[in-house]
Amino acid sequence: MAQKTVETSPETHVTLLGLGAMGTALARAWLAAGHPLTVWNRTAARAEPLATEGAVVAATVGEAVAAGRLVVVCLLDDDSVEQALEGVELAGKDLVDLVTSTPGQARTRAAWAEARGARYLDGGIMAVPPMIGVPAAGAYVFYSGSAAVFEEHREALGVPAGARYVGADAGYAALHDVALLSAMYGMFAGVAHAFALVRGEAVAPGDLAPLLRDWLTAMAGSVERTAAQLESGDLTTGVVSNLAMQVAGRGTLLRTAEEQGVSVELLAPYFRLMEHRLALGSGAEDLTGVVDLLRR
Ligand code: FVH
């Protein structure tokens, strides 16, 4: 039955290496869209359910890569890509690497693939597995590297999640991915601190949650103001709450943490940067000056 799908489907054939949580979600999205799919996973048992759903299961990574031009990799990390593809013939292939990596790793992997005769497109997935194949979930993947690969396989790449091309530099997908993830962890840190403050009080986490969500959503609009200030170089335009006021106000946050018996280890580094910027005479600015203090 799987073989019949490969022969008759008009859709692009996809080879997928890696059937972890994300790889399996990708596989199901391509199968649901009618794409002929060949899969390989180091632990073969993880491929069995997909065989019954229409995928062709390759016995070796070389067999999987040989099955078609478009080869999508969704393994654990960059090292596992190197290990899995060592000695495999890649000439003439279009390698799409969805592994989360650093910009430097992506650039090195692009050169590595091109030296083997493959075209290379890097991807950074902005989604968790349940969002894959669900258009309303808003999942997307940043892509960078070969524009030709992106254009030629745009339809197939757009099946599991939206596809956003961010440049010919193979490192740019990873750069965008990690920038967004880093902002997310900053938010998680603030949320952890907020819940720690009310822990042990008669404030249920479930009651604080919608307040936190709505407040963070309202504050998220500040990213556009930050961007505009960085682009103009004028950090005093559009300031709503200036740095001098915010540095003065930090004492209340620090004392509250002390009163509540909560460590300030997540907040203190950010406040130190604000103080540093204020000491440079930037009290009328927004918090944007912290950006360039972070750069070494
Ligand atoms: N899951 C998530 O929430 C995130 C969302 C954003 C993107 N990430 C990245 O996606 C890559 C794959 O993630 P995953 O969730 O599929 O990861 P696992 O479920 O842990 O599966 C890992 C697969 O990698 C295989 N593998 C590991 N090491 C090797 C190796 N040396 N050689 C060959 N294959 C290897 C592993 O195989 P096995 O353990 O089943 O044999 C799995 O197929 C990742 O970059 C995330 O950062 C996911």
Side-chain angles (χ1 to χ4, degrees):
M1 178 185 163
Q3 191 60 32
K4 186 172 174 227
T5 307
V6 172
E7 286 170 355
T8 59
S9 172
E11 308 296 346
T12 304
H13 176 272
V14 181
T15 284
L16 175 63
L17 309 180
L19 296 172
M22 183 54 79
T24 299
L26 296 172
R28 293 208 159 105
W30 276 311
L31 287 172
H35 281 263
L37 181 72
T38 298
V39 295
W40 171 85
N41 194 63
R42 180 182 60 179
T43 305
R46 289 180 100 164
E48 284 167 14
L50 290 169
T52 63
E53 294 170 35
V56 174
V57 179
T60 65
V61 65
E63 186 184 313
V65 170
R69 184 177 183 95
L70 176 59
V71 178
V72 178
V73 184
C74 191
L75 300 174
L76 184 63
D77 56 17
D78 186 59
D79 286 347
S80 50
V81 176
E82 176 113 29
Q83 288 161 19
L85 289 174
E86 180 160 15
V88 173
E89 178 60 60
L90 293 179
K93 301 299 174 184
D94 291 338
L95 191 64
V96 178
D97 183 348
L98 299 182
V99 168
T100 302
S101 59
T102 71
Q105 284 174 322
R107 290 173 186 132
T108 302
R109 187 60 53 209
W112 174 94
E114 283 152 17
R116 284 159 181 75
R119 299 191 297 181
Y120 184 86
L121 188 66
D122 201 72
I125 303 173
M126 302 312 302
V128 290
M131 295 166 73
I132 297 298
V134 182
Y140 66 88
V141 180
F142 287 121
Y143 288 101
S144 66
S146 170
V149 172
F150 181 75
E151 289 305 331
E152 287 170 34
H153 300 299
R154 197 181 191 128
E155 186 278 329
L157 296 176
V159 165
R164 299 187 185 188
Y165 184 74
V166 289
D169 182 332
Y172 272 22
L175 183 62
H176 283 73
D177 183 1
V178 174
L180 268 58
L181 291 177
S182 299
M184 176 190 78
Y185 280 110
M187 180 186 75
F188 288 165
V191 168
H193 186 89
F195 276 119
L197 287 176
V198 303
R199 207 88 172 122
E201 302 282 355
V203 180
D207 290 339
L208 190 67
L211 303 174
L212 271 175
R213 186 194 55 228
D214 290 352
W215 179 244
L216 291 172
T217 301
M219 290 299 102
S222 68
V223 298
E224 268 89 23
R225 189 169 68 245
T226 303
Q229 291 172 348
L230 288 170
E231 286 178 2
S232 71
D234 177 0
L235 309 192
T236 58
T237 296
V239 175
V240 178
S241 306
N242 72 37
L243 181 65
M245 182 284 292
Q246 298 210 49
V247 170
R250 84 203 182 295
T252 303
L253 274 69
L254 295 171
R255 275 196 302 278
T256 301
E258 193 177 348
E259 287 174 14
Q260 296 301 109
V262 171
S263 164
V264 295
E265 61 197 300
L266 292 174
L267 291 187
Y270 190 66
F271 288 149
R272 276 198 294 277
L273 287 163
M274 287 165 56
E275 289 159 15
H276 183 164
R277 185 71 191 173
L278 181 66
L280 297 175
S282 306
E285 292 179 357
D286 226 316
L287 298 176
T288 306
V290 165
V291 173
D292 287 333
L293 284 182
L294 286 172
R295 292 192 59 81
R296 296 201 175 115

